[in-house]
Amino acid sequence: MREISSAYGRVVVGAQAELFGEALKITLESRAAARPGRFIWALTGGSTPAAFYKWCVETRALPAELAAGTHFTVSDERHVLLSSADSNFGNAERQLLSPLGVPTDRRHPWMVAWPVAEAAEAYRRTLLILAGPGRAYDLCFLGMGDDCHTASLFPQTPLLKDDGGLLFGGQEVPGKGWRLTITPSGLRACGKVVVMALGAGKAEALHRVHRGPLDVANVPSQVLQTCAERVVWLVDEAAAAKL
Ligand code: 6PG
C-alpha cells in the first residue's frame, strides 16, 4: 500500500483485500479509543461497502466480540422500508449484521416509516442517548458517488451551506425522494471517518475532490476538509489513477 497527501485526509492506495484489512484495523483502533461498551459504528450504502461486508463474512475477519459489542447504524438512509434492496440499513443487516449474529438491541436504523422531520428528530434523540451531547459516531464509513456526493449530501444540498449545527438531518432531494443523513457538523463530530472508493468509475470524482478547486456546494465530499485530520480514504489503483 502507498499513501498520497491531500488536504482532505490521508489517502491510502492498495489492492481491495489490503484496503479492507486496513478498514478493519482502523475499526479496531476506533473501538479501542471509544468508551467501553459504547462503540458506535456507522456503515453506509453503495457498492463498495457491500463488497466489504462480503469480505468480512467470508474471511470471518471481524472478531466476534466486536460484532456483539458494537452499536451499528448507517450514515444516511433512503425513504424505503428496511426490506427494500435500496435500504442502506436493510442491506447492512442482510449482508453483515445478521450473518454475524449482531444482537437486535445493537442495531439502530433510521426511523424510515415517519415523515422526514420527525424521523430526523427521533434519530437525533437516539444518538444523543447513545453517543452523548455533541458527539456523532466513533467511526463513520462513507462511500462517494460519481457526482462527488457522500452520505446523502448531494451537490447544492442546503445542508452543505447551513446545517444549523445539527449532527443529523433530513431533506427532500430532487429526483430521489427524502433522505436522512449525517450533516457536515455531524461529520466533524465523528471520531474517525473512512471513505471507501473502488474502481475506475471513481477516478474522476476523486480527482475533483482532491485535486480540483475548493467548491463544497458542487463537490460535497470536499466538506471533509474541515475534519481532514480524522479522515482516511481507502482507494484502489484504478480509482487513484488521476490523483
Ligand atoms: C447511498 C450512500 C451513498 C453511496 C455513494 C457511492 O445511500 O447511496 O450512502 O453516499 O455511498 O453513492 O455508492 P456506490 O459505491 O454504489 O457508487
Side-chain angles (χ1 to χ4, degrees):
M1 285 190 292
R2 62 190 176 97
E3 288 199 21
I4 295 174
S5 72
S6 164
Y8 300 91
R10 194 161 71 90
V11 183
V12 178
V13 185
Q16 179 172 295
E18 291 176 319
L19 299 172
F20 289 170
E22 185 69 14
L24 181 57
K25 184 170 153 246
I26 294 168
T27 302
L28 295 172
E29 286 166 0
S30 290
R31 185 193 176 215
R35 293 163 304 158
R38 286 288 176 145
F39 177 48
I40 307 170
W41 180 7
L43 303 167
T44 194
S47 55
T48 308
F52 176 69
Y53 304 156
K54 193 162 178 269
W55 177 85
C56 286
V57 172
E58 282 176 2
T59 62
R60 300 174 187 221
L62 278 193
E65 68 274 15
L66 178 73
T70 296
H71 289 279
F72 287 95
T73 184
V74 284
S75 63
D76 63 303
E77 191 55 281
R78 298 128 185 252
H79 190 198
V80 293
L81 296 175
L82 289 179
S83 55
S84 163
D86 286 334
S87 166
N88 288 343
F89 194 86
N91 286 332
E93 276 202 312
R94 286 183 285 276
Q95 295 161 19
L96 185 70
L97 308 186
S98 294
L100 294 182
V102 170
T104 47
D105 65 353
R106 298 278 168 153
R107 304 181 190 190
H108 306 283
W110 295 75
M111 294 71 173
V112 288
W114 297 11
V116 65
E118 285 94 326
E121 177 59 20
Y123 187 81
R124 278 195 286 273
R125 287 187 199 185
T126 303
L127 263 290
L128 182 63
I129 293 164
L130 272 184
R135 299 169 61 111
Y137 313 130
D138 295 298
L139 176 63
C140 182
F141 272 23
L142 296 173
M144 183 177 61
D146 300 349
D147 60 356
C148 300
H149 83 264
T150 193
S152 284
L153 299 170
F154 293 89
Q156 296 298 336
T157 195
L159 284 174
L160 285 170
K161 210 169 174 186
D162 181 13
D163 61 21
L166 296 173
L167 308 188
F168 307 99
Q171 66 196 348
E172 294 287 336
V173 179
K176 295 182 191 293
W178 67 241
R179 294 287 190 112
L180 295 160
T181 185
I182 190 164
T183 63
S185 292
L187 289 168
R188 288 189 281 275
C190 288
K192 198 97 191 173
V193 175
V194 172
V195 191
M196 283 194 204
L198 301 183
K202 301 291 177 193
E204 184 57 36
L206 280 170
H207 175 80
R208 285 182 67 201
V209 173
H210 293 274
R211 300 290 177 241
L214 182 62
D215 178 10
V216 177
N218 291 305
V219 187
S221 296
Q222 288 185 333
V223 76
L224 294 170
Q225 191 196 36
T226 56
C227 51
E229 68 286 355
R230 279 175 282 116
V231 178
V232 182
W233 296 75
L234 300 178
V235 303
D236 62 4
E237 291 290 350
K242 296 183 176 177
L243 291 181

